[in-house]
Amino acid sequence: MNAFEKEIRERFSSKVEERGCFLVDVEVSADNDVTIVIEAMDRNVDLEDCVSLDKSFHEMWDQDAADYSLTVTSAGLDLPFKDLRQYLKAKGEKVEVRFRGGRSMTAELLDADEEGIFLRYSVMEVPQGKKKKVAVVHEDRFPFSEINSVRPHVSFDK
C-alpha cells in the first residue's frame, strides 16, 4: 500500500461510513488513477452513494494539486470479498469458493471471522453399505490460509 492509499483509507473512511457504507478497497495506480471500492452495510450501493463520495473526495483532495483521476464504485458481484464485513453481510447466501490447489465449490456461507469461514455444502457420496451416490450435507470451517477467493454466487434460476 502506497502512502496516498494509506492516507485515503485513514481520512476517507469516516465519509464512507457516514453514507452507511464501508471501504472495501483503495487502489492508486502509478499514473494516480484512484479507484475506491465501497459496499453498503445493509443495502445495495446506489448511484447517489458514489456521486456523494466522489464529491466528498474532491473536497478533501485538490485534483489540480494532486493530479489524479477518481473512480468510486461498488464491490459488484464479480469481485472477490476483501473485507470481513462483506463476508458477514453475505451470511446465509450462496458463495463461490476457490481454494489453493485449484478446487472450488458453491456453498452457503454460514459465518465468518478473522480466521476463516464456515460453510454448508453438499457432496455426492456413497454411504456405507449402499451402491448409489447420494447428496450428503456437510458443515465445515475453512481457514483463509486454504482459500484463494470467495465471491457471491450468481444464479439465474428462479
Side-chain angles (χ1 to χ4, degrees), residues 79-93:
L79 297 176
F81 295 157
K82 292 187 174 189
D83 188 287
L84 178 59
R85 292 170 287 191
Q86 289 177 286
Y87 291 92
L88 297 175
K89 183 178 176 184
K91 281 172 57 172
E93 301 291 328

Side-chain angles (χ1 to χ4, degrees), residues 16-150:
V16 175
E17 290 170 8
E18 286 173 13
R19 294 270 335 153
C21 300
F22 57 91
L23 277 176
V24 172
D25 198 19
V26 175
E27 292 182 3
V28 179
S29 74
D31 295 330
N32 257 7
D33 296 324
V34 178
T35 302
I36 295 176
V37 181
I38 61 171
E39 180 70 66
M41 301 278 190
D42 56 0
R43 59 182 173 77
N44 292 324
V45 171
D46 60 28
L47 183 59
E48 190 176 315
D49 292 321
C50 295
V51 170
S52 175
L53 291 170
D54 181 277
K55 182 180 178 200
S56 295
F57 189 93
H58 287 295
E59 290 169 355
M60 295 175 77
W61 285 278
D62 180 9
Q63 190 170 14
D64 293 328
D67 188 29
Y68 63 84
S69 68
L70 176 64
T71 302
V72 178
T73 185
S74 66
L77 295 175
D78 59 334
L79 297 176
F81 295 157
K82 292 187 174 189
D83 188 287
L84 178 59
R85 292 170 287 191
Q86 289 177 286
Y87 291 92
L88 297 175
K89 183 178 176 184
K91 281 172 57 172
E93 301 291 328
K94 295 265 187 204
V95 294
E96 294 177 15
V97 183
R98 297 199 187 283
F99 294 92
R100 299 193 192 290
R103 182 173 69 119
S104 64
M105 75 165 65
T106 300
E108 179 184 353
L109 179 63
L110 298 177
D111 205 358
D113 59 29
E114 293 81 11
E115 303 297 320
I117 57 177
F118 192 61
L119 301 173
R120 177 182 297 135
Y121 58 97
S122 61
V123 178
M124 296 301 288
E125 297 177 356
V126 178
Q128 188 172 359
K130 303 286 182 178
K131 293 184 179 196
K132 281 186 137 182
K133 288 184 176 183
V134 296
V136 178
V137 175
H138 294 270
E139 292 184 357
D140 293 313
R141 180 170 176 71
F142 297 93
F144 286 124
S145 61
E146 295 179 7
I147 298 171
N148 274 339
S149 67
V150 177

